[in-house]
Amino acid sequence: MRLAVDASVLVAELTRRRGRSLISLSALEFVVAAHAWDEVTYELPRRLAARERHGRLVSGGADLVLRKCLSLAAAYVTVVPSVAYESFEALARRRVPRDPRDWPTVALAMALEAGIWTADADCLGCGLPTWTTEALLLASEA
């Protein structure tokens, strides 16, 4: 199954054991819009640095975890250039009126006829299949 991944869920799940296991499943193909990937590469180091500051990672651990997360993403998540989905921008924006920042993920899913992996309720009802992490975990066990 092909899934366009929302930036926030990708950041969250790259930092979790369950998410890393899910991302590496061969039955799932993950794609991310270039716009969303930019958000991931901005937010992931910030989130890991915050964990380190709050004692949830050992000193210097954020850099190591960041390298591992980016390596896993490079192996299992395809970053799709905006030229592949930007023609769907207007339609995607109409489908996610509550949060127009989600348009690249929705546009990518439309362009590739994929579902969406998200924790964001704003994508519900956009006319495309949406998957939460919990639903993907259950489906992968079946």
Side-chain angles (χ1 to χ4, degrees):
M1 170 176 22
R2 181 183 291 165
L3 295 165
V5 186
D6 177 61
S8 61
V9 81
L10 186 55
V11 168
E13 295 305 327
L14 280 170
T15 64
R16 294 182 178 121
R17 182 175 289 126
R18 72 173 190 177
R20 292 189 299 270
S21 295
L22 187 60
I23 290 168
S24 63
L25 288 176
S26 62
L28 300 173
E29 178 188 353
F30 297 105
V31 293
V32 65
H35 289 82
W37 181 249
D38 290 344
E39 186 178 337
V40 169
T41 58
Y42 173 79
E43 188 58 37
L44 188 59
R46 291 170 40 99
R47 184 157 315 169
L48 293 171
R51 286 185 177 184
E52 187 174 334
R53 277 192 313 276
H54 293 100
R56 292 191 301 256
L57 284 175
V58 297
S59 180
D63 290 335
L64 176 63
V65 174
L66 177 61
R67 284 194 301 274
K68 287 182 179 184
C69 290
L70 293 176
S71 177
L72 180 74
Y76 293 101
V77 181
T78 301
V79 179
V80 179
S82 60
V83 68
Y85 58 84
E86 61 191 5
S87 64
F88 290 90
E89 179 179 356
L91 180 56
R93 284 182 182 275
R94 286 194 304 273
R95 289 188 179 197
V96 286
R98 291 189 310 184
D99 189 355
R101 292 173 300 171
D102 287 331
W103 80 263
T105 300
V106 174
L108 177 60
M110 289 190 300
L112 298 180
E113 298 181 358
I116 299 172
W117 179 19
T118 185
D120 189 346
D122 292 335
C123 290
L124 296 176
C126 72
L128 299 165
T130 56
W131 292 81
T132 63
T133 301
E134 292 73 19
L136 284 174
L137 289 168
L138 287 171
S140 69
E141 293 173 0

